[in-house]
Tab-separated table of all heavy atoms in Angstrom:
chain	number	residue	atom	x	y	z
B	205	THR	N	22.020	63.050	13.638
B	205	THR	CA	20.992	62.643	12.680
B	205	THR	C	19.634	62.547	13.361
B	205	THR	O	18.628	63.061	12.846
B	205	THR	CB	21.358	61.294	12.044
B	205	THR	OG1	22.588	61.446	11.326
B	205	THR	CG2	20.263	60.836	11.086
B	206	LEU	N	19.611	61.914	14.509
B	206	LEU	CA	18.347	61.780	15.228
B	206	LEU	C	17.891	63.122	15.804
B	206	LEU	O	16.701	63.427	15.829
B	206	LEU	CB	18.491	60.742	16.345
B	206	LEU	CG	18.763	59.298	15.896
B	206	LEU	CD1	18.880	58.375	17.106
B	206	LEU	CD2	17.691	58.803	14.945
B	207	ALA	N	18.843	63.911	16.269
B	207	ALA	CA	18.475	65.214	16.826
B	207	ALA	C	17.826	66.099	15.765
B	207	ALA	O	16.795	66.732	16.013
B	207	ALA	CB	19.706	65.903	17.415
B	208	THR	N	18.404	66.121	14.580
B	208	THR	CA	17.832	66.969	13.529
B	208	THR	C	16.522	66.384	12.997
B	208	THR	O	15.646	67.127	12.561
B	208	THR	CB	18.833	67.184	12.381
B	208	THR	OG1	19.310	65.924	11.911
B	208	THR	CG2	20.004	68.033	12.839
B	209	LYS	N	16.391	65.089	13.048
B	209	LYS	CA	15.098	64.495	12.669
B	209	LYS	C	14.014	64.966	13.631
B	209	LYS	O	12.898	65.307	13.218
B	209	LYS	CB	15.182	62.969	12.691
B	209	LYS	CG	15.816	62.349	11.463
B	209	LYS	CD	15.724	60.824	11.519
B	209	LYS	CE	16.223	60.196	10.225
B	209	LYS	NZ	16.136	58.718	10.268
B	210	ALA	N	14.337	64.977	14.915
B	210	ALA	CA	13.345	65.399	15.904
B	210	ALA	C	12.997	66.869	15.717
B	210	ALA	O	11.821	67.257	15.754
B	210	ALA	CB	13.877	65.144	17.309
B	211	ILE	N	14.005	67.700	15.509
B	211	ILE	CA	13.739	69.127	15.292
B	211	ILE	C	12.878	69.306	14.049
B	211	ILE	O	11.939	70.115	14.031
B	211	ILE	CB	15.062	69.906	15.165
B	211	ILE	CG1	15.812	69.904	16.501
B	211	ILE	CG2	14.812	71.334	14.695
B	211	ILE	CD1	17.220	70.479	16.428
B	212	ALA	N	13.147	68.535	13.017
B	212	ALA	CA	12.349	68.622	11.792
B	212	ALA	C	10.899	68.222	12.058
B	212	ALA	O	9.966	68.820	11.502
B	212	ALA	CB	12.954	67.737	10.709
B	213	GLN	N	10.687	67.235	12.886
B	213	GLN	CA	9.311	66.834	13.213
B	213	GLN	C	8.582	67.975	13.918
B	213	GLN	O	7.422	68.276	13.615
B	213	GLN	CB	9.310	65.578	14.105
B	213	GLN	CG	9.687	64.302	13.389
B	213	GLN	CD	9.362	63.068	14.203
B	213	GLN	OE1	8.364	63.013	14.907
B	213	GLN	NE2	10.216	62.057	14.094
B	214	PHE	N	9.258	68.619	14.851
B	214	PHE	CA	8.634	69.758	15.530
B	214	PHE	C	8.284	70.855	14.524
B	214	PHE	O	7.183	71.407	14.521
B	214	PHE	CB	9.577	70.302	16.607
B	214	PHE	CG	9.137	71.598	17.210
B	214	PHE	CD1	8.006	71.665	18.022
B	214	PHE	CD2	9.834	72.778	16.966
B	214	PHE	CE1	7.583	72.872	18.568
B	214	PHE	CE2	9.419	73.985	17.513
B	214	PHE	CZ	8.287	74.031	18.309
B	215	GLU	N	9.224	71.140	13.630
B	215	GLU	CA	9.009	72.220	12.667
B	215	GLU	C	7.892	71.899	11.681
B	215	GLU	O	7.147	72.783	11.248
B	215	GLU	CB	10.321	72.521	11.938
B	215	GLU	CG	11.370	73.168	12.851
B	215	GLU	CD	12.718	73.346	12.174
B	215	GLU	OE1	13.033	72.578	11.245
B	215	GLU	OE2	13.460	74.243	12.588
B	216	ARG	N	7.756	70.655	11.313
B	216	ARG	CA	6.684	70.277	10.382
B	216	ARG	C	5.303	70.490	10.993
B	216	ARG	O	4.320	70.689	10.291
B	216	ARG	CB	6.842	68.819	9.940
B	216	ARG	CG	8.007	68.600	9.000
B	216	ARG	CD	7.978	67.283	8.246
B	216	ARG	NE	9.052	67.335	7.260
B	216	ARG	CZ	10.269	66.786	7.435
B	216	ARG	NH1	10.535	66.108	8.553
B	216	ARG	NH2	11.194	66.917	6.506
B	217	ALA	N	5.267	70.440	12.320
B	217	ALA	CA	3.987	70.638	13.010
B	217	ALA	C	3.592	72.102	13.104
B	217	ALA	O	2.459	72.423	13.462
B	217	ALA	CB	4.060	70.028	14.404
B	218	LEU	N	4.493	73.003	12.764
B	218	LEU	CA	4.219	74.441	12.881
B	218	LEU	C	3.365	74.907	11.704
B	218	LEU	O	3.847	75.537	10.761
B	218	LEU	CB	5.533	75.226	12.944
B	218	LEU	CG	6.459	74.886	14.109
B	218	LEU	CD1	7.758	75.703	14.028
B	218	LEU	CD2	5.778	75.129	15.441
B	219	ILE	N	2.085	74.601	11.787
B	219	ILE	CA	1.166	74.905	10.702
B	219	ILE	C	0.254	76.044	11.123
B	219	ILE	O	-0.428	75.957	12.145
B	219	ILE	CB	0.336	73.662	10.317
B	219	ILE	CG1	1.285	72.568	9.798
B	219	ILE	CG2	-0.725	74.008	9.275
B	219	ILE	CD1	0.608	71.238	9.543
B	220	SER	N	0.227	77.097	10.323
B	220	SER	CA	-0.612	78.267	10.594
B	220	SER	C	-1.632	78.417	9.483
B	220	SER	O	-1.270	78.674	8.334
B	220	SER	CB	0.266	79.523	10.679
B	220	SER	OG	-0.539	80.674	10.837
B	221	GLY	N	-2.909	78.246	9.836
B	221	GLY	CA	-3.938	78.330	8.814
B	221	GLY	C	-5.291	78.732	9.364
B	221	GLY	O	-6.329	78.323	8.821
B	222	GLU	N	-5.289	79.519	10.436
B	222	GLU	CA	-6.549	79.954	11.049
B	222	GLU	C	-6.597	81.464	11.214
B	222	GLU	O	-7.036	81.980	12.234
B	222	GLU	CB	-6.714	79.264	12.412
B	222	GLU	CG	-7.053	77.780	12.315
B	222	GLU	CD	-8.400	77.524	11.647
B	222	GLU	OE1	-9.367	78.260	11.945
B	222	GLU	OE2	-8.482	76.602	10.821
B	223	SER	N	-6.152	82.162	10.206
B	223	SER	CA	-6.228	83.619	10.241
B	223	SER	C	-7.633	84.076	9.861
B	223	SER	O	-8.483	83.271	9.454
B	223	SER	CB	-5.223	84.210	9.251
B	223	SER	OG	-5.604	83.852	7.927
B	224	LYS	N	-7.854	85.363	9.943
B	224	LYS	CA	-9.148	85.920	9.527
B	224	LYS	C	-9.372	85.608	8.043
B	224	LYS	O	-10.494	85.290	7.626
B	224	LYS	CB	-9.172	87.426	9.770
B	224	LYS	CG	-10.506	88.088	9.436
B	224	LYS	CD	-10.509	89.563	9.803
B	224	LYS	CE	-11.883	90.172	9.511
B	224	LYS	NZ	-11.940	91.614	9.875
B	225	PHE	N	-8.322	85.699	7.246
B	225	PHE	CA	-8.427	85.367	5.827
B	225	PHE	C	-8.901	83.938	5.655
B	225	PHE	O	-9.807	83.647	4.872
B	225	PHE	CB	-7.078	85.556	5.134
B	225	PHE	CG	-7.035	85.012	3.725
B	225	PHE	CD1	-7.472	85.770	2.660
B	225	PHE	CD2	-6.579	83.717	3.468
B	225	PHE	CE1	-7.456	85.270	1.357
B	225	PHE	CE2	-6.561	83.206	2.179
B	225	PHE	CZ	-7.009	83.980	1.127
Side-chain angles (χ1 to χ4, degrees):
Chain B
T205 298
L206 295 180
T208 53
K209 280 186 174 180
I211 293 172
Q213 287 193 36
F214 171 69
E215 291 174 333
R216 288 196 172 98
L218 300 178
I219 297 173
S220 175
E222 287 296 318
S223 65
K224 183 175 182 179
F225 170 85

